[in-house]
Amino acid sequence: MIEVNNLAKRFRLPSRGAKSPAARDPRDHDGWFHAVRDVSFRCAPGEVLGLLGPNGAGKTTTLRMLSSALKPDGGSIRANGIDLLADPLAARQHIGFLSGSTGLYGRLTARENVEYFGRLHGMSPVHLQRRCDELFTLLQMHEFGNKRADQLSTGMKQKCAIARTVVHEPQIVILDEPTTGLDVMSAKILLDFIASYKALRVPLIFSTHHLHEVEKLCDRVCIINHGKTAFHGSMDALRQQGGSADLYDAFVGVIHHGA
């Protein structure tokens, strides 16, 4: 279980002179940009939560705080009962986080990249080999396992990055736009992989702009707009609040209502 309450994060703005009111973001004031102002949601074991919102809404900042890459200015994050803010190192042992960039070591092979991160998590050689074999089969990676990362296609790199993210069998998985830039077949493999986590009873959070992925996979949705939670609930509740059975129209309805 991961529970997020009233999360907030701001960044100091450079001095650039006054902006016109029409150009000013509502989160830009007092010399600070309030990227995340009030975000709350939860994701239970076996649930897939879709994190949605327009570009610049605060989704990536929120996920980076969940991963402990950024320290919040306010609010709380509890992961499986652990206060992430009080003990981020312990929380990281429970979390697998895929950032927006693959972050692979180009001179290492796909397999070596995954094994390296497994060793960082203290996995034994036998356990690591078994886990890599399992992931390479699930993600259909065996054919390029011995290729250097800088020679891989976008889809291959993303599969490798996801294998690296979950190699230590985390109890919570967080993925930032995992299918962006992928072809249909690569995206399907990754979506099937995400769906498999329901059976493992692992909470999984992923951000996306593709609403068909949300409709296919998600049990719950959190929509962020201007750094605040505009909606959090089930797919049926989203359609009801958005005023449409069509997910796209419901999403737009929620955004416009909170604008």
Side-chain angles (χ1 to χ4, degrees):
M1 168 73 81
I2 186 161
E3 297 176 279
V4 176
N5 290 296
N6 310 117
L7 210 57
K9 180 65 181 178
R10 64 180 185 170
F11 300 94
R12 174 69 73 178
L13 288 168
S15 300
R16 295 179 181 172
K19 294 182 180 180
S20 66
R24 187 179 294 120
D25 189 295
R27 294 172 289 172
D28 179 356
H29 57 86
D30 301 327
W32 296 87
F33 178 67
H34 297 258
V36 174
R37 297 187 288 173
D38 186 4
V39 168
S40 300
F41 58 81
R42 63 179 177 83
C43 186
E47 281 189 344
V48 175
L49 173 78
L51 194 63
L52 308 178
N55 285 331
K59 300 186 301 297
T60 293
T61 300
T62 296
L63 294 183
R64 290 183 68 194
M65 287 190 281
L66 265 59
S67 74
S68 76
L70 283 178
K71 183 178 181 180
D73 295 318
S76 65
I77 307 170
R78 297 191 69 84
N80 287 345
I82 297 172
D83 184 340
L84 192 149
L85 304 186
D87 194 354
L89 185 59
R92 287 173 203 163
Q93 297 172 353
H94 295 269
I95 293 173
F97 175 62
L98 175 74
S99 66
S101 59
T102 55
L104 302 176
Y105 294 100
R107 298 180 67 179
L108 298 181
T109 67
R111 177 101 185 191
E112 288 170 341
N113 267 281
V114 179
E115 290 177 341
Y116 174 67
F117 279 88
R119 288 195 293 272
L120 288 179
H121 282 286
M123 298 176 70
S124 70
V126 173
H127 183 196
L128 180 56
Q129 181 176 345
R130 183 173 66 249
R131 179 63 172 160
C132 283
D133 288 342
E134 176 186 18
L135 289 172
F136 274 56
T137 297
L138 287 171
L139 292 167
Q140 299 181 26
M141 295 173 58
H142 287 295
E143 65 180 21
F144 60 85
N146 293 321
K147 289 184 67 173
R148 280 176 36 158
D150 58 9
Q151 298 172 344
L152 301 178
S153 68
T154 299
M156 292 174 181
K157 287 179 179 178
Q158 193 72 329
K159 289 180 183 180
C160 188
I162 288 181
R164 176 204 68 190
T165 298
V166 300
V167 65
H168 61 300
E169 299 180 277
Q171 297 174 29
I172 296 167
V173 176
I174 302 169
L175 308 175
D176 191 5
E177 299 189 11
T179 62
T180 297
L182 300 188
D183 62 76
V184 173
M185 295 308 298
S186 294
K188 184 182 185 309
I189 290 169
L190 293 184
L191 292 175
D192 289 345
F193 182 74
I194 290 172
S196 71
Y197 270 75
K198 292 186 180 185
L200 298 176
R201 304 289 297 163
V202 173
L204 190 147
I205 301 169
F206 79 103
S207 66
T208 182
H209 290 292
H210 304 300
L211 294 183
H212 67 276
E213 296 177 356
V214 174
E215 194 159 28
K216 179 182 177 65
L217 293 174
C218 292
D219 305 287
R220 190 180 296 271
V221 173
C222 176
I223 297 177
I224 299 176
N225 192 29
H226 294 310
K228 292 184 176 182
T229 298
F231 172 83
H232 175 233
S234 67
M235 303 294 289
D236 288 341
L238 172 57
R239 291 183 171 95
Q240 183 175 3
Q241 183 169 323
S244 176
D246 181 85
L247 196 59
Y248 286 84
D249 291 341
F251 170 79
V252 172
V254 168
I255 295 298
H256 285 170
H257 179 74

